[in-house]
Amino acid sequence: MTQRVHATRRVWLPAALFGAFALVILGRLVQLQILEHEAYAQAARSELFASNTIYATRGSILDRNGNVLAASVDTWDIYVNARAWKDEMRANKGSAVLGRALEMDPAELRAMVENAETVDVLIKRDVPYEIGKQLLDQELEGVIFRSNTDRVNPEGDLAAGVLGFIGLDNVGLAGIEAAYNEVLQGKPGRVIFERDTTNDFIPFGEYVASEPEPGRDVVLTIDRYLQQLCEEYLADAVERHQAVDGGSIIMMDPNTGELLCLANTPSIKFSQLDLSDPSILELMKNRAVTDLYEPGSVMKVITAAAAIDVGAVTPNTTYEDTGVVDVAGIELRNWRNRSYGTQTMTGVLVDSINTGAVFMLNAMEATSPGSFQRYLEAFGFGKPTGVDLQGEATAIFRTPDDEGWSPVDAATQSFGQSISVTPIQMLTAIAATINGGKLLRPHLVKAIIGPDGTRQEIQPEVIGNPITPETSAQVREMLRAVVEAPDRDHPGKPTNYSAGGKSGTANVPIGGSYNDTQIASFVGFAPAENPRILVLVKLNENQDLQTGTEAAAPVFAALADEALRYLNVRPEASR
């Protein structure tokens, strides 16, 4: 008879424990191999593989004649693998070679690597290509070279406020560099490669690369020579008239909207650029585009153009000026309480008569109620011009639809108070009064050139027609009379060319009132019959308290002579 074996605790307990252990192992294997496979595979891959971004060559920025204002050059970013430099001999050799080439102390280099919290320690960015290449050829262990590009400006600080600059990631942060970043930047590539335990590239390991697409070149409307001229004249005027808040000069082709120069002070300078300085945020603004001011008597040009266009007056319409006008119980007076007797509308501009501007406004409203507001909108006030720079501000002024509006608002707006504009907006509106009535979008980019040489021209863009060509011709002659009145020698009169223009002198509004500081400005064009240039000169808070005619107009006159000579415009024999 066969004896039956009975399971005992001594048998089944170890079996159960081994079974449970097997289940735990199996569960863990399922977790690692199935449930978390991707995560662990990715972790393993990250240990085995490294990747670098290959920045595309950023496009150049050129002036209208092809002169290079900003370009990229090949450089190297140099890193050290901290694990590799744990070997003292390797660290000493590498730091000695790097120190000589990069003008750095070898001991400080070793300390930098030793104390770093990352494996790959950045030693220096944008090392010149030739220096980096020489170091690369020495095959220093643990030293990593990553290709990069550096932005250079061959013309120094010229047009720095227009060009702007890029950050460490090669992305534009200000100016054209920011506004046209997608055009200039191109598309970066990427390289993925196998690495060894010291993070060095394995020569015959897996290597995958996607090539970058180069950026496109941007051709500006700016002329290098005219930009330099404007910057020099602005710096001189700011110093001479003690304009403590700087100023602006803009030169435009009034027939196309192309900006030939755009100068501001204060502004960024490449030679003094410190991104860690909080004040850089203020300097990054292009003040001709972002800052508002009351234009003063320059606005009388818009009022005259509107009144003539609506049929309310002609340049020869007369009125009797007593020096004061009552508007809704408020007395509005001329500059320095002057009175001028019988005056034409041309005389209103020549003598800059506030009450004359109110007369034109009243005549306009009597002919076509609400027309002043409609013309302000038609000239582009209250909306951005669309200039191709970031941060553009729009004009601020009270309208009849606003709470608290009164006829006094419209009256003061007619001679340039109670309305705030940007310099670029004022210049754009004045351009429409002298170019046949075309409101053009001001622009800084003339063309875009692809890597294959394909050139895309940026055409002038008409965004409105606020007045007729006939009105424009009349206003142009009125402004010529301002500068060329036979009985006076106007400071804005160029030596070799006919011209027209209008000055503005406005106190700075503070908290609903005005303080003792002022803004002096002048907008002028030349030659008078067929304007090639339109220039706005603006001086902020000039301490000598000279008017726009006295301080800003002479700057225009000198600029016009030099700029037109440079543009090969024949001097006019009658001058």
Side-chain angles (χ1 to χ4, degrees):
M1 181 176 178
T2 305
Q3 186 177 4
R4 187 173 181 182
V5 179
H6 295 279
T8 66
R9 181 189 250 178
R10 191 175 296 174
V11 175
W12 62 256
L13 183 58
L17 289 175
F18 279 115
F21 180 72
L23 288 175
V24 171
I25 296 297
L26 180 62
R28 182 61 172 160
L29 288 173
V30 170
Q31 179 187 16
L32 295 176
Q33 297 294 327
I34 299 177
L35 300 180
E36 298 181 6
H37 171 77
E38 286 300 323
Y40 283 98
Q42 182 62 36
R45 186 174 178 81
S46 66
E47 286 291 324
L48 180 61
F49 290 92
S51 66
N52 288 330
T53 298
I54 306 175
Y55 290 108
T57 301
R58 193 173 179 86
S60 298
I61 302 177
L62 316 173
D63 88 333
R64 64 186 300 114
N65 300 312
N67 298 300
V68 178
L69 301 178
S72 291
V73 295
D74 291 333
T75 61
W76 300 94
D77 292 345
I78 298 182
Y79 293 76
V80 166
N81 182 270
R83 293 172 184 166
W85 272 26
K86 288 187 181 297
D87 181 291
E88 185 177 351
M89 184 178 298
R90 186 181 293 164
N92 287 338
K93 178 184 176 183
S95 62
V97 175
L98 288 179
R100 284 194 301 271
L102 305 180
E103 298 182 352
M104 301 175 71
D105 182 77
E108 291 181 1
L109 270 174
R110 292 193 297 273
M112 183 190 308
V113 174
E114 183 179 348
N115 298 326
E117 296 180 358
T118 59
V119 176
D120 291 345
V121 183
L122 175 64
I123 299 301
K124 194 168 185 178
R125 289 188 185 276
D126 291 324
V127 174
Y129 182 83
E130 289 303 323
I131 293 177
K133 185 66 169 61
Q134 292 170 10
L135 288 170
L136 184 62
D137 291 341
Q138 296 189 51
E139 299 182 354
L140 299 171
E141 294 182 275
V143 180
I144 305 164
F145 297 83
R146 295 176 182 168
S147 60
N148 200 352
T149 59
D150 187 25
R151 206 65 167 159
V152 296
N153 301 97
E155 296 292 336
D157 290 331
L158 183 72
V162 174
L163 300 175
F165 55 90
I166 64 175
L168 295 178
D169 55 358
N170 290 322
V171 173
L173 299 180
I176 292 295
E177 296 278 20
Y180 284 82
N181 183 67
E182 291 188 7
V183 173
L184 291 162
Q185 189 177 39
K187 294 183 180 180
R190 197 158 190 83
V191 58
I192 301 173
F193 57 89
E194 281 190 89
R195 58 183 176 179
D196 59 22
T197 56
T198 63
N199 210 41
D200 287 334
F201 170 72
I202 298 176
F204 297 102
E206 186 175 343
Y207 181 92
V208 179
S210 59
E211 293 300 321
E213 295 180 19
R216 290 174 283 171
D217 295 341
V218 170
V219 181
L220 300 184
T221 59
I222 295 291
D223 183 287
R224 177 185 64 175
Y225 176 78
L226 295 178
Q227 179 71 27
Q228 181 175 350
L229 202 63
C230 288
E231 290 183 7
E232 290 174 352
Y233 271 89
L234 178 60
D236 178 70
V238 165
E239 181 179 1
R240 183 163 9 105
H241 298 288
Q242 306 165 56
V244 296
D245 194 34
S248 301
I249 293 181
I250 315 173
M251 184 182 294
M252 172 190 281
D253 181 338
N255 304 299
T256 64
E258 292 182 354
L259 300 177
L260 303 176
C261 88
L262 180 55
N264 295 287
T265 184
S267 180
I268 62 170
K269 293 184 181 296
F270 298 129
S271 59
Q272 302 171 9
L273 194 60
D274 181 3
L275 297 184
S276 64
D277 184 351
S279 65
I280 192 66
L281 295 176
E282 181 66 22
L283 295 178
M284 282 170 64
K285 300 190 308 179
N286 192 301
R287 303 179 74 185
V289 172
T290 64
D291 287 12
L292 296 168
Y293 76 108
E294 288 195 356
S297 294
V298 173
M299 183 59 71
K300 290 170 185 169
V301 180
I302 304 301
T303 303
I308 293 171
D309 198 67
V310 82
V313 300
T314 70
N316 297 317
T317 298
T318 60
Y319 86 110
E320 193 68 25
D321 174 55
T322 62
V324 61
V325 61
D326 183 284
V327 179
I330 302 295
E331 288 188 347
L332 302 178
R333 297 180 178 275
N334 291 329
W335 172 257
R336 294 175 178 169
N337 294 317
R338 292 177 179 174
S339 60
Y340 296 88
T342 303
Q343 277 292 332
T344 65
M345 298 302 98
T346 296
V348 169
L349 297 187
V350 171
D351 290 312
S352 200
I353 305 174
N354 291 347
T355 59
V358 177
F359 174 85
M360 288 190 280
L361 168 71
N362 291 336
M364 190 188 330
E365 292 298 313
T367 302
S368 177
S371 56
F372 182 62
Q373 174 67 29
R374 292 195 295 272
Y375 273 96
L376 286 180
E377 294 174 355
F379 274 106
F381 297 107
K383 56 188 175 185
T385 65
V387 65
D388 37 5
L389 283 175
Q390 296 176 321
E392 182 181 9
T394 57
I396 299 175
F397 56 96
R398 189 177 289 176
T399 72
D401 296 331
D402 293 331
E403 183 178 353
W405 180 89
S406 80
V408 177
D409 291 308
T412 53
Q413 288 165 12
S414 72
F415 54 80
Q417 295 180 5
S418 304
I419 180 170
S420 295
V421 303
T422 63
I424 192 67
Q425 189 157 49
M426 194 72 247
L427 192 70
T428 300
I430 295 296
T433 69
I434 66 168
N435 68 6
K438 300 174 294 183
L439 187 67
L440 294 159
R441 188 181 306 282
H443 60 284
L444 279 159
V445 172
K446 186 175 182 63
I448 294 173
I449 303 176
D452 61 353
T454 303
R455 183 180 175 107
Q456 174 191 351
E457 297 289 342
I458 307 299
Q459 300 299 327
E461 182 180 355
V462 178
I463 56 179
N465 297 95
I467 58 176
T468 65
E470 292 75 21
T471 298
S472 174
Q474 293 180 76
V475 173
R476 192 166 60 246
E477 285 304 308
M478 294 170 76
L479 293 176
R480 181 174 186 173
V482 172
V483 173
E484 300 190 348
D487 58 342
R488 65 190 74 183
D489 187 15
H490 196 284
K493 185 177 181 180
T495 300
N496 299 313
Y497 301 93
S498 61
K502 183 74 188 77
S503 65
T505 308
N507 290 98
V508 177
I510 298 291
S513 184
Y514 292 88
N515 64 18
D516 293 332
T517 59
Q518 67 178 32
I519 292 174
S521 66
F522 186 84
V523 179
F525 59 90
E529 289 296 330
N530 183 26
R532 289 285 304 277
I533 58 170
L534 174 66
V535 180
L536 180 145
V537 179
K538 174 173 170 277
L539 301 174
N540 304 328
E541 301 183 22
N542 55 311
Q543 298 300 288
D544 62 4
L545 296 181
Q546 289 191 355
T547 65
T549 300
E550 296 165 333
V555 181
F556 159 75
L559 262 177
D561 275 325
E562 289 207 43
L564 293 175
R565 176 186 58 80
Y566 168 74
L567 294 172
N568 293 319
V569 177
R570 185 186 298 275
E572 294 170 283
S574 60
R575 305 302 299 158

